[in-house]
Amino acid sequence: MQTPYWLDDIEAARRAVVEIDPALARAHAQTPAFDWRRRVGGFEGLFHMIVDQQVSLASAAAIWSRVVEGVGGVVTSELTLATYI
């Protein structure tokens, strides 16, 4: 599996701050790399995270699919407020 490009960006940023900040260098040395999850940002991403936190992931996936269908496939604050879901 190919590494997503943004993981390289994160690693490059960690190396850059380590070089200029001794405290962050110590933290970097003591903190192992961890898995990053990446989703859509903005209103849609926030809305999706709120749904995920309220219920099980299986239920959240079903609810989210209904939300996306209910607003015509594009989740924005304007469309969400204007649509009875």
Side-chain angles (χ1 to χ4, degrees):
M1 183 172 161
Q2 186 177 12
T3 302
Y5 72 91
W6 47 269
L7 286 178
D8 294 336
D9 293 342
I10 292 170
E11 182 55 34
R14 285 183 71 159
R15 284 193 308 271
V17 297
V18 161
E19 291 178 18
I20 60 174
D21 188 318
L24 290 176
R26 287 190 301 277
H28 176 72
Q30 296 173 9
T31 306
F34 52 89
D35 291 334
W36 287 85
R37 290 183 278 172
R38 183 162 175 182
R39 288 196 173 170
V40 173
F43 178 80
E44 181 179 355
L46 175 63
F47 193 173
H48 202 166
M49 284 189 285
I50 291 168
V51 169
D52 284 350
Q53 290 177 9
Q54 299 304 311
V55 294
S56 72
L57 288 177
S59 296
I63 291 168
W64 187 251
S65 147
R66 284 185 228 129
V67 168
V68 171
E69 183 180 329
V71 296
V74 178
V75 181
T76 66
S77 56
E78 296 82 12
L79 284 174
T80 302
L81 291 172
T83 305
Y84 179 77
I85 302 174

